[in-house]
Amino acid sequence: MMNEKTYKTMSSAGTAGLVLGIITLVTGIVTGILMIVNGARLLKEKSDILI
């Protein structure tokens, strides 16, 4: 009985860790893509900026 409870607890903790890892990975990829796009846009418009 105690082993089953331990197994269920570890299983749910593992699942939660996996889900959080996937969310973190997707967020990082999306953030990186947005930074690259904005950087390219800034470089493209650099010639229009008067200093």
Side-chain angles (χ1 to χ4, degrees), residues 3-4 10 14 16-18 20-21 24-26 28 33-34 36 38 42 44 46 49-51:
N3 287 341
E4 184 177 339
M10 290 176 65
L18 185 62
L20 287 174
T24 303
L25 180 67
V26 170
I33 290 171
L34 289 174
I36 290 170
N38 285 328
L42 284 172
K44 180 181 170 188
K46 185 171 82 169
I49 298 174
L50 297 175
I51 297 177

Side-chain angles (χ1 to χ4, degrees), residues 9-44:
T9 302
M10 290 176 65
S11 177
S12 63
T15 303
L18 185 62
V19 169
L20 287 174
I22 291 170
I23 290 171
T24 303
L25 180 67
V26 170
T27 303
I29 291 171
V30 169
T31 303
I33 290 171
L34 289 174
M35 290 177 70
I36 290 170
V37 168
N38 285 328
R41 189 178 302 151
L42 284 172
L43 288 174
K44 180 181 170 188

Side-chain angles (χ1 to χ4, degrees), residues 1-10:
M1 189 67 148
M2 189 64 156
N3 287 341
E4 184 177 339
K5 184 177 179 183
T6 304
Y7 175 78
K8 286 183 178 182
T9 302
M10 290 176 65

